[in-house]
């Protein structure tokens, strides 16, 4: 028994309808899952929540439109049909990107339970930690690693604040510092009382910090956590550099850190945390692709914090 000429187009339209329904559904459900299930989304830069809300609204409107036209049979040319399917694939690609952007959430570490002589304030684009009862003259602007919540670095940087430094942890757009590598400039403008600035960052954040330090001669120090620059900074005059890495880092491996020596000024200092890995430079849990640590997180972070505090005092 053969199908009627009208049955085949109708079947194709039915498949396209349900494919569209799936796309509309995930455009609503995935943003809702991220907004409700991960507190880091709403605590971070407002660009990601805005993107998620926009995606959910588009998905909801698309779903309403599909429901209203569920019984209508639209004839499509081959070109339009191919375009429709490519559009749905593009939507699924967008949803996959949103899932990938879901940030690593802050997980309170040992330092969060200890006393601190500092105050912390948050804005939509930064976390500012200032020493209590003292006017800081040295400051650190810190770029987080890719997809890592800014709060994840507050505990490890608190000792530097307690020692008298102003520390500002940036909330970067979509938790990707490369989208606004010049974000540190706004912080420097907002704090004219600071006479000596250091920029730093973890992993991808360190790349952004390096680029900013290279192009801004009023930056005195560069602090790299498991990171390295993309361009040579060998001729950058007047810049002190500290590179702290982990011997078990599976992402910014010891070999990559070693290769960065030729990119940094000759007086750069390198500190390797024996047994430490990539995720030990913040409090956000394990990270895919990382190496297995051979020491405790609190031990490693104590060494990182001490090296950071000592470096800022020299800058």
């Amino acid at each position: 028994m053969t199908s009627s000429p009208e049955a085949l187009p109708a079947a194709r339209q039915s498949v396209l309808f349900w494919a569209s329904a799936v796309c509309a559904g995930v455009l609503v459900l995935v943003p809702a899952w991220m907004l409700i299930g991960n507190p880091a989304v709403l605590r971070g830069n407002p660009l990601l929540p805005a993107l998620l809300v926009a995606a959910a609204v588009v998905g909801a409107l698309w779903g309403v439109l599909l429901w209203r036209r569920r019984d209508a049979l639209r004839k499509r040319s081959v070109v339009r049909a191919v375009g429709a399917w490519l559009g749905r694939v593009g939507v699924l690609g967008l949803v996959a990107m949103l899932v990938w952007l879901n940030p690593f959430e802050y997980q309170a570490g040992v330092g969060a339970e200890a006393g601190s002589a500092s105050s912390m304030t948050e804005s939509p684009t930064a976390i500012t930690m200032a020493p209590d009862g003292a006017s800081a003259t040295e400051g650190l602007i810190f770029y987080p690693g890719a997809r890592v919540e800014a709060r994840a670095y507050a505990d490890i940087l608190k000792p530097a604040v307690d020692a008298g430094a102003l520390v500002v942890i940036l909330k970067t757009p979509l938790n990707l510092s490369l989208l606004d590598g010049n974000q540190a400039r706004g912080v420097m403008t907002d704090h004219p009382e600071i006479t000596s600035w250091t920029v730093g960052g973890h992993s991808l954040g360190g790349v952004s910090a390096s680029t900013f330090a290279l192009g801004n001669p009023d930056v005195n120090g560069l602090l790299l956590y498991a990171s390295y620059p993309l361009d040579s900074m060998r001729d950058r005059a007047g810049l002190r550099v500290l590179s702290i890495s982990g011997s078990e880092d599976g992402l910014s491996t010891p070999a990559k850190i070693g290769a960065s020596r030729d990119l940094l000024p000759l007086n750069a200092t390198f500190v390797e945390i024996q047994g430490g890995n990539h995720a030990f430079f913040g409090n956000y849990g394990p990270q895919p692709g990382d190496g297995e640590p051979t020491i405790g997180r609190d031990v490693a972070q104590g060494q990182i914090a001490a090296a950071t505090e000592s470096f800022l005092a020299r800058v």
Side-chain angles (χ1 to χ4, degrees):
M1 181 177 181
T2 59
S3 301
S4 65
E6 295 81 6
L8 188 57
R12 289 174 178 172
Q13 288 299 316
S14 178
V15 172
L16 184 60
F17 172 84
W18 287 110
S20 301
V22 169
C23 289
V26 295
L27 273 176
V28 174
L29 294 176
V30 168
W33 164 67
M34 291 175 62
L35 287 165
I36 297 172
N38 189 347
V41 173
L42 292 176
R43 291 196 297 243
N45 187 289
L47 181 57
L48 180 57
L51 182 61
L52 293 173
V53 170
V57 169
V58 169
L61 293 176
W62 192 3
V64 171
L65 185 62
L66 284 172
W67 179 255
R68 289 182 175 179
R69 296 183 176 180
R70 64 189 181 279
D71 296 325
L73 180 62
R74 297 174 59 192
K75 293 183 179 180
R76 298 176 185 266
S77 66
V78 174
V79 174
R80 292 190 62 187
V82 171
W85 280 105
L86 288 177
R88 273 88 183 147
V89 172
V91 169
L92 294 178
L94 171 64
V95 172
M97 183 196 72
L98 293 176
V99 172
W100 183 81
L101 288 172
N102 200 27
F104 294 101
E105 181 185 354
Y106 165 63
Q107 298 181 13
V110 176
E113 301 174 359
S116 177
S118 63
S119 61
M120 184 174 76
T121 58
E122 288 197 48
S123 74
T125 57
I127 295 174
T128 301
M129 298 190 296
D132 283 340
S135 298
T137 58
E138 60 179 359
L140 168 65
I141 304 170
F142 195 86
Y143 289 83
R147 299 187 297 141
V148 179
E149 182 182 7
R151 284 191 184 189
Y153 302 96
D155 297 337
I156 202 169
L157 293 174
K158 271 185 180 179
V161 182
D162 295 339
L166 173 76
V167 173
V168 180
I169 309 171
L170 300 175
K171 296 180 180 180
T172 56
L174 303 183
N175 297 298
L176 298 173
S177 61
L178 293 182
L179 295 181
D180 188 5
N182 202 45
Q183 194 174 352
R185 177 53 61 185
V187 176
M188 296 173 70
T189 302
D190 291 341
H191 294 277
E193 75 279 7
I194 301 299
T195 58
S196 177
W197 280 108
T198 295
V199 293
H202 175 220
S203 195
L204 184 66
V207 175
S208 297
S210 299
T211 302
F212 185 84
L214 182 61
N216 293 272
D218 51 346
V219 171
N220 307 102
L222 173 63
L223 175 65
L224 298 175
Y225 281 2
S227 186
Y228 44 87
L230 295 180
D231 301 311
S232 176
M233 307 183 71
R234 181 55 58 93
D235 298 327
R236 170 59 162 84
L239 182 70
R240 289 181 175 269
V241 180
L242 172 62
S243 173
I244 310 177
S245 60
S247 65
E248 308 307 313
D249 194 325
L251 300 172
S252 296
T253 62
K256 293 178 180 178
I257 298 298
S260 72
R261 290 178 179 270
D262 293 334
L263 298 175
L264 293 171
L266 290 172
N267 63 348
T269 301
F270 288 80
V271 174
E272 184 176 74
I273 307 300
Q274 295 300 316
N277 67 356
H278 199 78
F280 275 7
F281 287 88
N283 286 331
Y284 58 92
Q287 189 166 356
D290 202 0
E292 289 295 327
T294 58
I295 60 172
R297 177 181 293 270
D298 55 338
V299 175
Q301 291 191 346
Q303 296 177 28
I304 296 167
T308 299
E309 181 182 340
S310 176
F311 173 68
L312 292 178
R314 295 197 305 273
V315 173

